[in-house]
Amino acid sequence: KSLPAVRIVEVGPRDGLQNIRDSIPTSMKLELIKRLEETGLGTIELTSVVSPRRIPQLADCRDVLGDEGIRRMGGKDLRLPVLVPTAKGLDVAIEYGVKEVAVFISATEGFSKANINCSVEQGIERARDVVSLALKSNTVVRGYVSCIFADPYDGPTQPASVLRCVKELLDAGCYEVSLGDTLGVGSPSNVRSLITFLLDNDIPGEKLAGHFHDTYGQAVANVWEAYKCGLRVFDSSVAGLGGCPFAPGAKGNVATEDLVYMFHNAGISTGVDLPKLVEIGVWISDQLKRPNGSRAGAALAIK
Ligand code: HMG
Ligand code: MG
C-alpha cells in the first residue's frame, strides 16, 4: 500500500524573492511562475500585496496579478494564493480576480511588531476581519503563524501562544494554517513536540502545514518529522530561496527539489516533475547570480 501523498506549496515567487535587495524584473518573476506551473505543483504563492516601502521587491504585485498568462493559469488543480495582511491588500487581490489569499500573524510580540506593525492580539483581530471579508467574496484563505519556535527579538516561543494563534485562524475560517519556523532554528524534536501538543489540543492534523526555513540545516529533517506526525502539506521554495527582512539572519525556505527528492525516494507522491524543477532551480539561481540553495538540485543538475 502506498504512503499518503503530500501537497507542496511553492512559495518561491513570494517568500523566495521578497528579501532580495536588487530589484528583479517583473518579466523574470512571471517566467518563474509559468515555469513552476509546468512542473505539476498544485499550489504556487504568487506575490504579496503589502506596503511597497516595507517590501520593495514585491511592489510590482499588480503587474504580476494582472498578467494575462497568470490570470488564465488558476483552476481546479492549481491554487495561486497571494499574501494580504490587510483589507487594503485584500481589495487589490479581489480586484485582480484572485481566488485564494493568505493572512499572516506571529505567535510572538517582537516579530509581530517588526513585521506587521501591531501586537499579536491586534494581528489576530486584523486577520479575523480580512478572513471574514474574503469569505464574503468567495475567496478562500490560508493562514500563517510565524515564529513557532523562536522570535528574533523575544527568544523562545510558548507553545500555548502558537496554539492560540492556530485556533484563532481556524475559527476565523482559514482552511489551513501553515506553521512557520521563520528563523529556521527548530529541529525534529521541537517539531514533534509542538505538533503533538497541537494535536493533543484538538487541532486536526489535516488543517496544518509546515513552513520551515533552513538556517540551521534542519529543514528537510523537520519536514520528514512533521510528515511522520501526520502533516501532509509543506511550503518550500525552488532553489531554497527565501527569507524575511524582519527576521535578520534567517536563511531560505527548505528547497522544493530537496523535498521532492526525499518524498519520491520514500515512494510518497508529490505530483511534481523533479527534472523540470531542477532545471528551474538552476535557471533562477543563475539569473539571480546566487549559488543554488538546493543540494539535491545542484547534485542532479551535474549528473
Ligand atoms: P501599517 O500598519 O499601515 O503600518 O501596515 P506600516 O507603517 O508598516 O505601513 C504603512 C504603509 O503601508 C502605508 O503607506 C499604508 O498605506 C501601506 P505609506 O503611508 O507609508 O505610503 N499599506 C499597504 N500598502 C500596500 N498594500 C497593503 C497595505 N496596507 C498598508 N495591503 C502592513 C501594515 C502589514 C501592511 C505593513 O506593515 C507591511 O506591509 N508589512 C510587511 C509585511 C510583510 O510582507 N512581511 C513579509 C511576509 S511575512 C513572512 O515572510 C513570514 C512567512 O513566510 C511565514 C514564516 O516564515 O514565518 C509568511
Ligand atoms: Mg517564510
Side-chain angles (χ1 to χ4, degrees):
K1 197 168 159 289
S2 63
L3 292 162
V6 297
R7 183 163 61 83
I8 291 183
V9 175
E10 169 63 49
V11 296
R14 192 278 303 171
D15 200 325
L17 304 184
Q18 71 185 7
N19 198 27
I20 294 177
R21 201 166 300 146
D22 296 339
S23 164
I24 300 165
T26 307
S27 58
M28 197 190 293
K29 298 175 185 174
L30 295 171
E31 185 173 349
L32 174 62
I33 295 164
K34 288 169 191 169
R35 289 179 71 154
L36 287 168
E37 186 232 0
E38 288 166 14
T39 66
L41 278 159
T43 309
I44 305 170
E45 206 170 63
L46 294 179
T47 185
S48 315
V49 190
V50 295
S51 160
R53 196 165 45 81
R54 306 278 247 113
I55 307 279
Q57 187 60 262
L58 302 183
D60 62 352
C61 58
R62 287 175 176 78
D63 300 324
V64 171
L65 298 178
D67 177 77
E68 275 311 311
I70 301 288
R71 289 179 77 122
R72 273 194 303 268
M73 256 171 50
K76 123 174 125 32
D77 298 323
L78 180 62
R79 330 170 66 122
L80 300 169
V82 174
L83 242 63
V84 297
T86 56
K88 184 170 165 178
L90 176 67
D91 286 346
V92 173
I94 290 172
E95 184 191 325
Y96 283 88
V98 169
K99 299 281 182 295
E100 173 166 339
V101 295
V103 295
F104 49 106
I105 60 176
S106 176
T108 56
E109 296 296 340
F111 186 71
S112 186
K113 183 71 191 151
N115 192 43
I116 54 173
N117 192 32
C118 64
S119 67
V120 173
E121 203 53 45
Q122 289 164 333
I124 289 170
E125 270 168 44
R126 195 155 73 186
R128 211 187 278 137
D129 292 343
V130 175
V131 178
S132 145
L133 287 169
L135 295 177
K136 276 186 201 132
S137 49
N138 292 319
T139 309
V140 294
V141 192
R142 188 167 199 253
Y144 282 101
V145 175
S146 288
C147 298
I148 56 166
F149 298 128
D151 174 291
Y153 315 97
D154 301 348
T157 303
Q158 295 297 324
S161 179
V162 179
L163 173 65
R164 158 100 208 282
C165 290
V166 170
K167 257 201 183 129
E168 290 283 357
L169 290 178
L170 291 177
D171 288 350
C174 289
Y175 72 86
E176 167 179 295
V177 174
S178 181
L179 302 170
D181 181 10
T182 319
L183 297 190
V185 293
S187 315
S189 64
N190 308 118
V191 169
R192 175 160 293 270
S193 67
L194 180 64
I195 294 176
T196 305
F197 173 73
L198 296 175
L199 301 179
D200 286 350
N201 281 281
D202 301 324
I203 303 290
E206 30 334 327
K207 299 273 183 192
L208 295 174
H211 178 110
F212 299 105
H213 283 266
D214 200 31
T215 317
Y216 284 77
Q218 308 290 299
V220 168
N222 287 343
V223 170
W224 186 243
E225 193 65 21
Y227 181 84
K228 289 196 289 175
C229 292
L231 268 58
R232 299 291 177 255
V233 183
F234 297 100
D235 305 351
S236 62
S237 182
V238 67
L241 295 167
C244 176
F246 310 107
K251 291 273 190 289
N253 295 91
V254 63
T256 312
E257 298 91 313
D258 296 1
L259 284 202
V260 172
Y261 180 82
M262 174 182 78
F263 282 124
H264 288 186
N265 274 4
I268 295 163
S269 154
T270 66
V272 177
D273 181 325
L274 182 56
K276 271 191 189 162
L277 188 65
V278 167
E279 269 183 44
I280 302 170
V282 170
W283 168 76
I284 192 68
S285 304
D286 195 46
Q287 293 292 314
L288 299 174
K289 301 186 178 58
R290 302 179 148 232
N292 190 340
S294 166
R295 298 286 280 269
L300 289 168
I302 54 168
K303 257 185 122 179

